[in-house]
Amino acid sequence: MQLNIKTRQNKVIIGYILAFMSAIGYGTGTVVTKHVINIFPNPILVSSISLIIGTAIISIFYIKNLIQDLSNETPIKELSNAIFAGISSALGVNSLFIGLKFVPVSVASPVANTFPLVTIIIMKIFYGKLEKISLETILGSLLIVSGIIIITIYTS
Amino acid sequence: MFGIIISLTASIGFGSSSVFAKISMQKMQSGTTTLISLITSTIITLFVSTLFTQTEEYNKLNIEILMLLFYIGVLTYFFGRLLNYTSVQYIGVNKATPIIGTTPLFASLTAIIFMNEKITTPIMIGTALIIMGIILITRKTIDATKY
């Protein structure tokens, strides 16, 4: 039991570290993207070529996992949700770039960055049984989104 | 108004992506989910880019730009999306997404460190709020090990 708790605690800590590393990856990627868009002003083409490169790199490491997961017993529900995850991400990126054609960055970026709250709302409405949402999570997300809105408004 | 609706659509897109990934990873590994989602995103974005790109723009792509695009691919998709989905698998969508939402903070810090941008009062206030939010979310989970 003691060992089980320890393992779960390690998993939680690793999960948070990975989430921070992901944010650092996205954050530094954003800075490089801004630099590229200054010299090559076509954000959607920049996004599509970097997606091709990203997909190629991930394929090198995970193509075996893909074959393994799909050959065991084709999990239709899981497969379709992975496809929806890709569609949602593409919708996010492309909508943001198209939105920037109609409103300034100081408006589009803070609105787009409210996504953690959207996630919590979607989880609460559609998948309440999958994960519990605590008051701390809701308040913490509100603080994070407020901070992000302040930063994006004043830096864009 | 149209611009704000489109920006809200972006928020819904980013927000729902991790939810779909979470459901997908109930029977599949995070690497597989990332790869399938990337293939889908690539197809859609390539299609959209052909609508907004003129032929002569492809000729402007040179080695320097392609190298920078390589870095973006590694940072955004290898570190960004793969670790995003893996963290969702480990701690859940509700805990991981707010942390990943701190991305603009890291973008500002990178710009301050490497591009000599200035630290302003709004950045300090925003950072303080973000840190408070992170403490609020992570404190209880690490103590109680609910997952």
Side-chain angles (χ1 to χ4, degrees):
Chain A
M1 188 64 186
Q2 193 67 33
L3 192 73
N4 189 27
I5 290 171
K6 190 94 178 161
T7 313
R8 277 202 285 172
Q9 195 168 25
N10 286 344
K11 198 176 173 184
V12 170
I13 292 167
I14 291 168
Y16 280 123
I17 292 169
L18 293 177
F20 276 113
M21 284 173 70
S22 168
I24 293 169
Y26 281 134
T28 46
T30 305
V31 175
V32 183
T33 305
K34 278 181 184 170
H35 176 67
V36 173
I37 290 169
N38 281 336
I39 50 177
F40 186 76
N42 185 336
I44 297 181
L45 186 60
V46 165
S47 176
S48 58
I49 298 173
S50 56
L51 261 167
I52 294 170
I53 294 167
T55 308
I57 296 166
I58 298 273
S59 299
I60 295 168
F61 293 96
Y62 292 101
I63 194 77
K64 271 187 183 173
N65 293 40
L66 176 74
I67 295 164
Q68 203 178 43
D69 278 347
L70 296 184
S71 61
N72 286 343
E73 155 201 345
T74 313
I76 300 294
K77 184 185 156 198
E78 283 72 19
L79 180 66
S80 53
N81 274 290
I83 292 170
F84 283 132
I87 294 171
S88 305
S89 292
L91 181 76
V93 173
N94 293 308
S95 304
L96 181 61
F97 288 143
I98 294 167
L100 287 172
K101 289 183 187 289
F102 298 94
V103 284
V105 187
S106 57
V107 176
S109 195
V111 173
N113 278 313
T114 57
F115 74 88
L117 296 179
V118 173
T119 303
I120 289 175
I121 293 166
I122 294 171
M123 280 302 285
K124 184 76 184 165
I125 297 173
F126 298 105
Y127 305 102
K129 286 177 186 170
L130 206 63
E131 275 184 32
K132 282 181 185 170
I133 305 166
S134 65
L135 185 64
E136 282 87 352
T137 305
I138 296 169
L139 290 175
S141 302
L142 278 170
L143 281 172
I144 289 172
V145 170
S146 309
I148 292 305
I149 288 173
I150 291 172
I151 290 176
T152 46
I153 285 176
Y154 287 95
T155 53
S156 51
Chain B
M1 190 63 190
F2 179 72
I4 293 174
I5 292 169
I6 292 283
S7 306
L8 264 176
T9 311
S11 176
I12 294 167
F14 291 134
S16 56
S17 168
S18 297
V19 178
F20 288 124
K22 165 80 184 178
I23 301 162
S24 166
M25 289 182 295
Q26 285 182 309
K27 279 189 186 169
M28 293 200 304
Q29 300 162 75
S30 58
T32 308
T33 299
T34 308
L35 183 53
I36 295 168
S37 79
L38 276 176
I39 292 167
T40 315
S41 297
T42 305
I43 294 167
I44 295 168
T45 312
L46 260 178
F47 174 73
V48 176
S49 79
T50 53
L51 300 176
F52 288 92
T53 308
Q54 290 170 338
T55 323
E56 59 266 26
E57 284 188 81
Y58 294 102
N59 300 329
K60 291 178 188 166
L61 287 167
N62 56 35
I63 293 291
E64 187 204 350
I65 293 171
L66 287 172
M67 274 307 292
L68 289 168
L69 292 175
F70 176 79
Y71 293 136
I72 297 170
V74 172
L75 291 168
T76 309
Y77 302 109
F78 190 76
F79 284 101
R81 196 178 296 190
L82 177 65
L83 300 185
N84 174 356
Y85 288 174
T86 311
S87 68
V88 163
Q89 195 172 33
Y90 275 45
I91 53 175
V93 185
N94 295 319
K95 304 280 180 204
T97 309
I99 308 288
I100 291 152
T102 61
T103 292
L105 171 68
F106 289 106
S108 295
L109 291 178
T110 309
I112 288 164
I113 295 167
F114 295 103
M115 301 178 101
N116 297 322
E117 286 190 12
K118 285 180 182 170
I119 302 174
T120 58
T121 313
I123 291 179
M124 288 197 287
I125 295 169
T127 307
L129 286 171
I130 292 165
I131 291 168
M132 279 158 59
I134 290 169
I135 291 169
L136 205 60
I137 293 171
T138 55
R139 189 186 53 152
K140 213 175 170 184
T141 346
I142 290 175
D143 286 347
T145 56
K146 279 182 175 176
Y147 288 92

